[in-house]
């Protein structure tokens, strides 16, 4: 399926979509009501081109139907539950039948194979195990592929380095920020990760800019491969970069992608940036139609140099929810990140604090000097400040340069870079 002709793929998508819609209509009250209100029946959705007749599913729909209202099967047929931690409110609860887990495992195994990983590789899985889909999702994909998985989970960074050293892990899966932290900890232990057999980092769960990827590749002496997924759709394994590192292949026989204008909901022209919307095509316990991911990307339908025909999405460097608005100026944290990574004198860590003083928003950016920094701080501060003003079209009210190690590292879960103290 990864290299099927577009026509062949379309046929599979259409027949799987019909089954998915039927399942959603018959077994999920939320979807039945949606169809009924619009005067639609499952027969009106014959092909993926008909999807636009349907409204979007949103994270609020998951919240409104908490905990199990979106499920299409009885608990008796559910063999696994996961949950995605919302930053606010209740988590989104997701479920899987045995068939769903099989599809998920295959999707992740495909991802790993596309990244050049094979049965003789040792994959150290540093994603958190538990309700988060990252840990178990990656784990079962490695097993499906027949490679070796070390289920070390998040944290325990010194032990991670020891395991890498002692067992010769050639692949590690973790967040991009954690990959850099690992390199720092290894250095403190007197080990240069570049000397170890490690050759690939599969990173995901956090947005990662191109300069950040380069930093990871340099510091760890690896190829950095971006994997993408979200619990509401399945977990990690929706898409991944192949060895060409030129966009993430979406497994379109399992997940149907659309890109929309986040403001109007209309589809954008091919190649234009917009919000990714996904429909599951092969999930029984939790069929999801037109889910708004909040992730901004573009789609490229040209055949990749690897020979795969499955569409490629651009790396996610921003979520529509992440947009920071300060005194009427909009920017994404990734724009700050790209500036931070331009300067050799500062470490690849930063934090953004937003405050309100009186009625005025204040933007504070904090960056960290490298361990061996010896130059003039005021000169460096000037240069960083100027560059930030250029890129953001906005001058931060405060720019702090702190000593190496003063910005908290995240060992488990996703790194937090933006602290919004407004409205508190
Ligand atoms: Zn490719």
């Amino acid at each position: 399926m990864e290299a099927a002709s577009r026509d062949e793929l379309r046929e599979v998508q259409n027949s799987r979509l019909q089954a998915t819609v039927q399942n959603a209509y018959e077994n999920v009250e939320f979807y039945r009501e949606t169809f009924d209100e619009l005067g639609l029946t499952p027969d009106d959705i014959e092909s993926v081109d008909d999807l636009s007749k349907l409204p979007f599913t949103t994270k609020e729909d998951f919240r409104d139907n908490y905990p199990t209202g979106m499920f299409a099967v009885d608990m008796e047929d559910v063999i696994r539950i996961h949950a995605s931690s919302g930053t606010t409110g209740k988590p989104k609860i997701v479920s899987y039948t045995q068939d769903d887990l099989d599809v998920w495992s295959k999707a992740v195994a495909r991802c790993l194979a596309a990244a050049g990983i094979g049965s003789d590789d040792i994959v150290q899985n540093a994603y958190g195990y538990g309700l988060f889909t990252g840990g178990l999702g990656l784990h079962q994909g490695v097993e499906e592929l027949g490679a070796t998985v070390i289920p070390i989970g998040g944290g325990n960074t010194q032990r991670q380095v020891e395991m890498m050293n002692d067992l010769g892990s050639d692949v590690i899966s973790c967040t991009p920020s954690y990959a850099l932290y690992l390199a720092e900890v290894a250095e403190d232990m007197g080990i240069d990760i570049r000397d170890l057999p490690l050759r690939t980092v599969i990173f995901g769960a956090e947005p990662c800019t191109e300069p950040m990827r380069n930093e990871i590749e340099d510091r760890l002496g690896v190829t950095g491969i971006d994997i993408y997924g979200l619990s509401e759709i399945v977990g990690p394994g929706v898409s991944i970069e192949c060895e060409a590192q030129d966009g993430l292949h979406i497994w379109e026989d399992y997940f149907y992608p659309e890109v929309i204008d986040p403001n109007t909901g209309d589809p954008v022209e091919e190649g234009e940036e917009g919000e990714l919307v996904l429909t599951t095509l092969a999930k029984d316990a939790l069929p999801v139609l037109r889910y708004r991911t909040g992730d901004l990307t573009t789609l490229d339908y040209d055949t990749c140099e690897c020979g795969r025909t499955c569409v490629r999405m651009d790396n996610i460097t921003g979520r529509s929810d992440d947009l920071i608005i300060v005194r009427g100026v909009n920017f994404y944290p990734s724009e700050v990140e790209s500036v931070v990574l331009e300067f050799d004198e500062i470490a690849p860590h930063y934090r953004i604090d937003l405050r309100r003083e009186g009625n005025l928003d204040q933007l504070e950016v904090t960056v960290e000097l490298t361990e061996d920094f010896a130059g003039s701080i005021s000169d460096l501060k000037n240069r960083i400040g100027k560059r930030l003003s250029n890129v953001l079209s906005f001058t931060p009210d405060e720019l702090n340069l702190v000593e190496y190690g003063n910005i908290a590292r995240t060992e488990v879960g996703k790194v937090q870079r933006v602290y919004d103290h407004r409205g508190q």
Side-chain angles (χ1 to χ4, degrees), residues 242 244 249 304-306 308 312:
C242 63
H249 288 283
C304 180
E305 68 178 61
C306 72
R308 288 180 181 81
R312 281 167 294 156

Side-chain angles (χ1 to χ4, degrees), residues 114 240-249 251 302-310 312:
I240 192 161
E241 287 176 323
C242 63
E243 288 170 284
Q245 290 179 299
D246 187 19
L248 291 77
H249 288 283
W251 309 130
D302 291 342
T303 301
C304 180
E305 68 178 61
C306 72
R308 288 180 181 81
T309 52
C310 279
R312 281 167 294 156

